[in-house]
Amino acid sequence: MAEEAEGGGGVRRGAAVGDRDRDRDRDRDRDRDRDRDRDRDRDRGRDEEGAAERGPGAAYRMFVLMEELLDKLKLLSYEEEALRRHNMRPLSRHYFALPTNPGEQFFMFCTLAAWLITKAGHPFEQPQEYDDPNAIISNVLSQLRSFGRPVDFPPSKLKAGYGEQVCYVLDCLAEEALKYSGFSWKRPAYPTEELEEEEIIEDYAELTLNKLEEDVVEEESDNEENFIDLNVLKGKTYGSYMNDAPKHEEILQSTTDAVEWNLEVERVLPQLKVTVRTDNKDWRIHVDQMHQHKDGIESSLKETRGYLDKLHNEISRTLEKINSREKYINNQLEHLVQEYRSAQALLSEAKEKYQEGSGGVTERIKVLSEITEALERVKQETEEKGSSMTDGAPLVKIKQALTKLKQETIHMDIQIGVMEHTLLQSKLKEKSNMARDMHAAMIPEATVGAY
């Protein structure tokens, strides 16, 4: 029974230890998730602040970079050389600008970056699917710095596989690959367009015979005045000419009186009056307006030329003063500018060292987390052993078990004594019965012998 009690206590102790381990692991996972969410929120807030500082169009810069990158990749024939080798689909216009599948996007980024670095003249090993992403990112950024490109963002931005930083890195590597291949951008050659022949449009402003006839007919209907029908007149003239054609050779001099001719001309002259209405579309009116505007511009220019010359002289003097002041300020601040440049160079070197150091920080953090977990397990084991060594509960339980065993032995002894007494009584009773039976048997034999 003591062994059973000890075994039950060990089982309960093991179950309690297992519960504590599970609770500790659950708390550790919860803390890790909380830290990850906090870091993600901090990065998102930093990105939003940076976009707000750069302007409202900074949020769409990644789309422009992605379209430019796609054009450069097509110039480098990436579909035949890079994608077909890995059985990948061609990129869409906004593949690295929007999140779709982070794992697939990161692998595509690593593949294209390795291919572009190789195309740029630097041998680079093609990354595999199960390689360490931190090591791949640090190698890509080191190659990008070797090309002289600045890297002013943390390497963790590239681990997502999309975003402005991913587009920037691939765009810089594509430019270096184009530069290494001897490609250069040229001015666009626009095709020469042949001038179409101008169609001859009828100018209704010109006075033609048919137009004149139509105007005359309209005026007759409007003003109810009697005018000569030119077509009828033309027909009569043509008919008279055809009738008199055989007589032309016979007529050698005119028999018409000059006075009567003049009187007839004066009588018919009012009926031959032709009125032409003014039209705003007439080019003559436009020419007159152009001449009027030209005269107005020339007269205004004479007045304003003096003011413009004076303003030009003042602006030129002001520009000369500004140039002289600028030269003076540059001469005075030349040593400060040199110091600023040297400080900028030191800052860039410090940033590069920081980026190089931050690449290994993640690995060291991972190793540190593993070491801390192992340390916690060792501490837990030592605590359990120490508690088991210093705890008096097992000793108390042993003493209780011993007292219980003593009580049970006493009860057993009492039961054994009772059983022995009962057995003794039964034996004595059986013996007395046997003696009585024997005595009873002996009395009749004596009586029979006496008779």
Side-chain angles (χ1 to χ4, degrees), residues 57-100:
Y60 305 99
R61 175 174 168 75
M62 65 180 73
F63 297 97
V64 179
L65 282 175
M66 183 60 208
E67 292 184 358
E68 294 178 356
L69 170 64
L70 191 59
D71 294 336
K72 293 172 184 176
L73 291 175
K74 288 180 180 178
L75 290 174
L76 292 169
S77 302
Y78 81 107
E79 294 180 356
E80 291 80 7
E81 298 183 10
L83 299 185
R84 189 171 297 174
R85 186 183 305 169
H86 298 279
N87 295 324
M88 294 181 178
R89 293 178 297 177
L91 302 180
S92 60
R93 290 178 60 197
H94 302 147
Y95 183 79
F96 289 114
L98 298 173
T100 54

Side-chain angles (χ1 to χ4, degrees), residues 262-278:
N262 290 329
L263 290 174
E264 184 67 22
V265 168
E266 290 178 359
R267 186 181 67 81
V268 179
L269 186 60
Q271 298 181 4
L272 296 176
K273 182 181 179 182
V274 178
T275 59
V276 179
R277 291 179 297 177
T278 59

